[in-house]
């Protein structure tokens, strides 16, 4: 198994941007722990799912 470094870098950038935007918009400030985790998971899932549709991990 080989690592696809560009795909991992793109994923890391997407994760960093999403977490930055969530903190900047204060979307999860007044949410409980469960709601905050759910919002974060959905916010990360959507762009990473789109990335993997456009650029599958094994397509290197």
């Amino acid at each position: 198994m080989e690592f696809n470094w560009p795909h991992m870098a793109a994923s890391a950038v997407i994760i960093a941007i999403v977490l930055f935007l969530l903190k900047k918009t204060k979307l999860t400030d007044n949410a409980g722990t469960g709601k905050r985790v759910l919002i974060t998971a959905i916010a990360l899932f959507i762009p990473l799912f789109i990335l993997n549709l456009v650029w599958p991990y094994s397509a290197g």
Side-chain angles (χ1 to χ4, degrees), residues 6-49:
H7 189 275
M8 283 192 281
S11 297
V13 168
I14 288 173
I15 291 169
I17 289 171
V18 167
L19 292 178
F20 172 77
L21 289 174
L22 282 176
K23 191 159 281 246
K24 182 98 171 153
T25 59
K26 298 179 178 156
L27 186 64
T28 59
D29 274 2
N30 293 326
T33 304
K35 189 174 181 182
R36 183 172 42 247
V37 168
L38 184 62
I39 291 170
T40 305
I42 291 170
L44 287 171
F45 175 78
I46 293 170
L48 290 174
F49 181 74

Side-chain angles (χ1 to χ4, degrees), residues 1-5 7-8 51-52 55-60:
M1 179 175 146
E2 293 182 19
F3 291 112
N4 188 343
W5 294 104
H7 189 275
M8 283 192 281
L51 171 69
N52 286 306
W55 183 11
Y57 185 76
S58 62

